[in-house]
């Protein structure tokens, strides 16, 4: 994909965030927190969406979802 198309797609994505997010409740989660503080992120998500299952009940699914080699890491918390 040409660089210009990638930049355009990112710009459209950011404009959509700017337009729609302020009107809605939202939670912002940093990628590094997902990898380094998975339990903390899950707890923040559960406060935001109380109907989610506790970390202990979905630990296996979370570990499968998060690539342990992302950003050169070999282990998640």
């Amino acid at each position: 994909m040409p660089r210009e198309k990638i930049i355009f797609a990112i710009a459209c994505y950011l404009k959509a965030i700017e337009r729609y997010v302020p009107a809605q409740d939202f939670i912002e989660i940093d990628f590094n927190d997902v990898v380094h503080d998975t339990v903390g992120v899950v707890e923040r998500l559960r406060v935001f969406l109380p109907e989610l299952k506790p970390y202990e009940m979905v630990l296996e699914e979370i570990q499968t979802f998060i690539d342990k080699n992302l950003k050169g890491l070999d282990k998640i918390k």
Side-chain angles (χ1 to χ4, degrees), residues 6-70:
I6 293 170
I7 292 171
F8 178 75
I10 292 170
C12 290
Y13 172 73
L14 293 174
K15 285 179 187 176
I17 290 173
E18 182 179 312
R19 179 177 179 185
Y20 295 110
V21 168
Q24 306 295 324
D25 291 337
F26 68 95
I27 184 171
E28 187 173 338
I29 298 173
D30 185 71
F31 175 80
N32 287 323
D33 290 341
V34 172
V35 176
H36 294 293
D37 185 21
T38 308
V39 176
V41 168
V42 170
E43 290 308 314
R44 287 178 51 212
L45 284 168
R46 289 198 65 228
V47 168
F48 189 72
L49 300 167
E51 64 274 11
L52 294 178
K53 295 177 183 175
Y55 178 78
E56 296 76 21
M57 292 182 69
V58 292
L59 175 61
E60 186 175 322
E61 289 88 348
I62 290 171
Q63 288 177 335
T64 300
F65 177 77
I66 299 175
D67 183 348
K68 294 179 182 180
N69 295 312
L70 291 174

